[in-house]
Amino acid sequence: MSQYNTLFVGLDVHKESIAVAYAPEGRDSAIVPLGQIGTRHCDIDKTLRHLQSKSPKLLFAYEAGPCGYWLQRYLSRKGQSCLVVAPSLIPRKPGDRVKTDKRDSVTLARLLRSGDLSPVYIPEIEDEAMRDLGRAREDALSDLKAAKLRLKSFLLRHDIGYEGKANWGPAHLRWLADDVAMPTAAQRIVFQEYVRAITQHSERLQRIDEQLREQVKGWRMAPLVEAYQALRGVQFHVAATATAELGDLRRFDKPRQLMAYVGLHPSEHSSGSTRRQGGIAKTGNTHARRVLIEAAWAYRFMPKVSRRIQVRQETLPEAIRDIAWKAQVRLCARFRRLVAHGKNPNVVVTAIARELVAYMWAIAQQVQLPTPQKA
């Protein structure tokens, strides 16, 4: 027989164990820790049956982390409500210096009951798959840059420098293949291994690029990816990454909410009559913030609809093209104005990225997306 109307269940999820605690309705009710269970489905089902014997309505919550969203999706398929909450927004007592799995689960249950937890956005399975593919490309690009840096550092140590204009172009690659000669056999082996690593990473990056373009064609978010490319600086990889990481921007009521979600709003520490604003908060999604700042550098030039932008805009509605041109006129002028006032270029480009994401929000309002298929 059910003892409670609702149970608020806190889960502290790890790779091989889950600490469970539940809080009945009513602030005076004691929170009950159930201990640790395994992460197998049978272990979760057993705990679920035990909790359902105490209450017909269960509400679960656990912290977002490296274990992803599989538990939330599994509980949802079982007909249960489960929140994945932002760890950085969980209220914590400054004087509490003891952290255990049991205390964490009890804290989650108590805060879930009081309504003090902030849930994170949970992407659809298809959207998360595209996000994983985009991050795989980012890893491949990072590995390629690291391999190139190792080779350049190796050549610098031996006073071998390229006198051409551009590194890693066809002329530079021919120079590496034909003109670089190392004095010893061991150094020739090192040189060839570094060159081979660059070739392998380049081929890997090219393969992932091709797969990413192919997968985006059948993605339900493909209209958003195409629409974002109307903006200057927002080429395919920027648009695909921003879409995969941020999802459907129409869920934000105002652009300022999106700016704060990406972490491009200024931090602040004010008290009384003193107001102190610092650098950007850097909360939220770092991958999306990186590509937005990368795209914002394009606005340091005069407004212009280049041939590449014309090609990207050919199939887009007039309303989206108007938003893109309005963004160019405003952001290019603001970039030059802030630089003329003596602002650091890195500070300026961050301010431009903050406004750029607002124009992306405006474009998203003009795009109709199909309803996601539930698993």
Side-chain angles (χ1 to χ4, degrees), residues 51 56 73 87 105 110 199 308 332 344:
L51 293 172
R73 290 170 178 149
S105 63
R110 183 181 70 253
T199 303
R308 289 185 178 182
C332 290
N344 185 290

Side-chain angles (χ1 to χ4, degrees), residues 162-182:
Y162 178 59
E163 297 179 355
K165 294 183 179 179
N167 288 334
W168 311 115
H172 186 212
L173 296 178
R174 286 195 299 269
W175 174 77
L176 288 173
D178 301 333
D179 299 341
V180 177
M182 306 306 298

Side-chain angles (χ1 to χ4, degrees), residues 65-361:
C67 294
Y69 308 111
W70 70 267
L71 181 55
Q72 190 275 340
R73 290 170 178 149
Y74 182 76
L75 291 173
S76 296
R77 290 196 297 270
K78 293 290 184 178
Q80 304 298 324
S81 297
C82 181
L83 303 180
V84 183
V85 300
S88 60
L89 299 180
I90 295 177
R92 301 189 186 279
K93 298 177 181 178
D96 190 357
R97 299 298 183 180
V98 179
K99 181 187 184 304
T100 64
D101 294 347
K102 176 182 175 181
R103 289 169 68 96
D104 287 346
S105 63
V106 169
T107 299
L108 286 171
R110 183 181 70 253
L111 294 175
L112 180 62
R113 180 174 64 183
S114 62
D116 292 328
L117 294 178
S118 301
V120 301
Y121 168 71
I122 300 176
E124 300 294 330
I125 295 178
E126 181 187 12
D127 301 342
E128 187 179 18
M130 293 303 301
R131 187 185 70 178
D132 291 337
L133 185 55
R135 291 185 180 182
R137 181 191 179 274
E138 187 176 328
D139 293 338
L141 182 60
S142 177
D143 293 341
L144 177 58
K145 289 180 179 179
K148 289 179 176 179
L149 181 61
R150 292 188 190 102
L151 177 58
K152 292 180 69 175
S153 300
F154 173 73
L155 295 176
L156 179 62
R157 289 198 302 270
H158 298 283
D159 195 27
I160 300 175
Y162 178 59
E163 297 179 355
K165 294 183 179 179
N167 288 334
W168 311 115
H172 186 212
L173 296 178
R174 286 195 299 269
W175 174 77
L176 288 173
D178 301 333
D179 299 341
V180 177
M182 306 306 298
T184 67
Q187 290 170 335
R188 286 194 292 272
I189 292 173
V190 173
F191 173 73
Q192 291 299 331
E193 287 296 333
Y194 280 154
V195 171
R196 184 181 179 186
I198 292 173
T199 303
Q200 291 175 341
H201 289 310
S202 298
E203 292 174 351
R204 173 188 168 202
L205 179 61
Q206 184 178 358
R207 289 195 304 268
I208 296 177
D209 276 341
E210 293 172 356
Q211 291 297 324
L212 181 61
R213 291 183 180 275
E214 187 65 27
Q215 293 296 322
V216 165
K217 293 178 182 178
W219 188 24
R220 71 179 186 92
M221 293 283 203
L224 272 181
V225 177
E226 294 180 4
Y228 291 154
Q229 293 181 69
L231 293 163
R232 185 175 189 170
V234 184
Q235 300 182 16
F236 172 77
H237 293 114
V238 175
T241 301
T243 305
E245 296 292 345
L246 301 178
D248 188 357
L249 302 186
R250 296 178 299 178
R251 73 180 190 273
F252 296 97
D253 296 329
K254 297 178 180 179
R256 287 186 179 274
Q257 295 176 348
L258 176 57
M259 295 175 189
Y261 182 80
V262 182
L264 289 170
H265 63 295
S267 60
E268 184 172 349
H269 186 79
S270 300
S271 179
S273 59
T274 303
R275 187 186 184 199
R276 297 187 183 92
Q277 283 191 313
I280 59 173
K282 293 186 179 180
T283 57
N285 195 293
T286 57
H287 304 275
R289 186 166 59 250
R290 180 189 61 80
V291 296
L292 288 170
I293 292 179
E294 175 185 321
W297 281 106
Y299 292 91
R300 65 188 185 273
F301 305 109
M302 295 292 292
K304 177 184 177 181
V305 180
S306 65
R307 178 58 185 160
R308 289 185 178 182
I309 296 178
Q310 286 180 350
V311 172
R312 301 204 301 258
Q313 292 182 351
E314 281 179 352
T315 59
L316 298 177
E318 185 69 25
I320 293 179
R321 294 200 297 269
D322 290 343
I323 294 173
W325 177 246
K326 186 184 298 183
Q328 271 214 62
V329 172
R330 173 175 171 79
L331 298 183
C332 290
R334 187 158 190 248
F335 199 112
R336 296 194 306 275
R337 184 171 64 252
L338 291 175
V339 171
H341 288 169
K343 292 289 186 180
N344 185 290
N346 292 325
V347 175
V348 175
V349 78
T350 303
I352 299 302
R354 181 165 55 247
E355 288 202 30
L356 177 60
V357 75
Y359 283 104
M360 294 177 69
W361 176 88

